[in-house]
Amino acid sequence: LPADVRALQETSVYPRTTGYLKRQLVDIGDKVKEGQLLAEIDSPEVDSQLNQAKATKEQGSANLNKAQADEDLAQTTISRYDTLAKTPGAITQQDIDEKRATFKQAQAALDSARANVVASQADVQRLTELQGFEKITAPFTGVITARNYDVGALLSATNSGQPLFKLEETDVLRVF
């Protein structure tokens, strides 16, 4: 009977980050195990963005500390002015209003600094995950049946090009 024999599983392995193919650790015909490192991508833009995000996070932490100190000082100042306000003629209403406004500004600056720190932490986490895609691993145990790029090739994170590798599980076959 005529038949078509195919691998039990087969998949195309695409890069999930944009960069240059740095190292290729397998070739056509190589047997690989699930989770084995197949290739590494050098993505200098992601690395640079991650370093910048880490620096921004550090600066944001410093700004948060300063905003907290400013808010604490404004809180102490308004407490003192409230105490002085109980003594008739010791302080004008204008001075009290100015100190209350300063306190509200300090609270707003503190809230803004907290939001910036949270945003920068999320950015660092996102870029760290993206940097993790620089290492391409085998999704299952099988044999490399195609390799479409050489070291130094510019890879894109989109699926519009050819896959980096084609992997097939050939220990068990399907017959159609």
Side-chain angles (χ1 to χ4, degrees), residues 33-168:
K33 298 203 179 291
E34 181 178 347
Q36 179 179 336
L37 185 62
L38 305 177
E40 290 182 5
I41 298 173
D42 183 25
S43 52
E45 291 173 357
V46 172
D47 297 341
S48 175
Q49 289 173 358
L50 179 59
N51 289 337
Q52 183 177 3
K54 286 179 180 178
T56 301
K57 180 182 170 189
E58 292 298 319
Q59 180 64 37
S61 294
N63 289 344
L64 178 61
N65 291 338
K66 182 187 180 313
Q68 182 66 56
D70 290 346
E71 196 261 352
D72 291 344
L73 178 61
Q75 174 68 40
T76 303
T77 302
I78 195 66
S79 296
R80 289 178 182 156
Y81 271 69
D82 285 341
T83 303
L84 283 174
K86 294 176 185 173
T87 305
I91 195 164
T92 65
Q93 186 62 40
Q94 176 69 29
D95 289 337
I96 293 172
D97 292 342
E98 286 175 4
K99 297 307 174 188
R100 285 188 199 283
T102 301
F103 176 63
K104 288 181 181 180
Q105 287 175 345
Q107 284 179 321
L110 181 60
D111 291 342
S112 176
R114 283 183 182 138
N116 287 340
V117 166
V118 169
S120 64
Q121 286 173 338
D123 203 27
V124 166
Q125 182 179 359
R126 179 186 63 82
L127 289 167
T128 300
E129 289 172 3
L130 196 58
Q131 192 178 46
F133 295 140
E134 291 178 351
K135 297 191 183 314
I136 299 171
T137 58
F140 55 83
T141 300
V143 176
I144 301 295
T145 58
R147 175 187 57 82
N148 294 312
Y149 295 97
D150 291 319
V151 172
L154 178 61
L155 305 173
S156 176
T158 63
N159 284 351
S160 60
Q162 291 182 322
L164 190 55
F165 297 104
K166 188 167 182 185
L167 178 63
E168 295 182 8

